[in-house]
């Protein structure tokens, strides 16, 4: 693999290892890279159990930018959840138009990518849980390149925010 893994030093956990206490939230879960590697369609038992536990205490939706409808249907079937609004892609907040939202429920996005999942969370005013990205090693060059760019931008933003935050805190 010729791509540098910028995420290896992040203290991230996989989706099924999320320990946050999430109750009475509206949760949007990314599929590719979060629940399973890109292009794969068989979910692990731990993922299924974590989704089942989240569904007991929250309203949960799946989100994906994948247009592989057969794969998407299989994942919906395995999790007994619907993928919301395939007409709009993350990070567009137009995705919210297809679901009823309770005014008092906090929104949470769970995903692995900064450019789509983190921006989607920001656009809809949601909290964000970034997970460790799942990869199979069989990703297409396009996916590997996108992951590389995503990780690179994430680290640039993180680097500069670490420089700017202490400086602004001292000068306020």
């Amino acid at each position: 693999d010729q791509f540098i893994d910028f995420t290896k030093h992040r203290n991230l956990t996989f989706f099924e290892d999320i320990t946050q206490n999430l109750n009475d939230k509206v949760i949007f879960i990314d599929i590719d890279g979060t629940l399973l590697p890109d292009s794969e369609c068989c979910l692990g038992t731990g993922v299924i159990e974590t989704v089942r536990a989240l569904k007991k205490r929250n309203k949960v939706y799946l989100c994906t930018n994948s247009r592989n409808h057969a794969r998407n249907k299989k994942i919906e079937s395995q999790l007994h959840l619907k993928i919301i609004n395939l007409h709009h892609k993350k990070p567009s907040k137009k995705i919210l138009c297809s679901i009823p939202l309770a005014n008092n429920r906090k929104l949470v996005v769970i995903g692995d990518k900064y450019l789509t999942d983190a921006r989607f969370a920001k656009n809809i005013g949601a909290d964000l849980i970034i997970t460790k990205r799942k990869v199979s090693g069989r990703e297409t060059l396009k996916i590997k390149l996108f992951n590389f760019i995503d990780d690179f931008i994430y680290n640039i933003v993180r680097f500069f925010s670490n420089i700017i935050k202490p400086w602004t805190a001292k000068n306020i």
Side-chain angles (χ1 to χ4, degrees), residues 59-114:
K59 184 65 180 167
V60 179
Y61 297 99
L62 297 174
C63 292
T64 185
N65 286 345
S66 170
R67 300 290 188 205
N68 185 337
H69 298 295
R71 176 178 176 262
N72 292 344
K73 288 288 181 199
K74 187 171 184 178
I75 292 168
E76 284 178 326
S77 174
Q78 289 177 69
L79 295 174
H80 306 286
L81 285 172
K82 289 286 182 194
I83 295 173
I84 59 165
N85 204 331
L86 290 173
H87 303 292
H88 301 287
K89 290 186 173 193
K90 295 178 293 175
S92 173
K93 66 181 183 177
K94 291 181 181 178
I95 290 172
L96 296 182
C97 296
S98 64
I99 62 167
L101 291 176
N103 291 339
N104 58 345
R105 288 181 120 177
K106 282 194 81 164
L107 306 177
V108 176
V109 173
I110 302 174
D112 66 300
K113 293 177 186 69
Y114 179 77

Side-chain angles (χ1 to χ4, degrees), residues 131-148:
T131 63
K132 186 172 183 175
R133 183 174 300 126
K134 293 185 178 189
V135 294
S136 67
R138 295 182 301 275
E139 288 77 12
T140 64
L141 182 60
K142 177 182 169 185
I143 296 297
K144 287 180 180 181
L145 183 60
F146 184 82
N147 287 345
F148 174 81

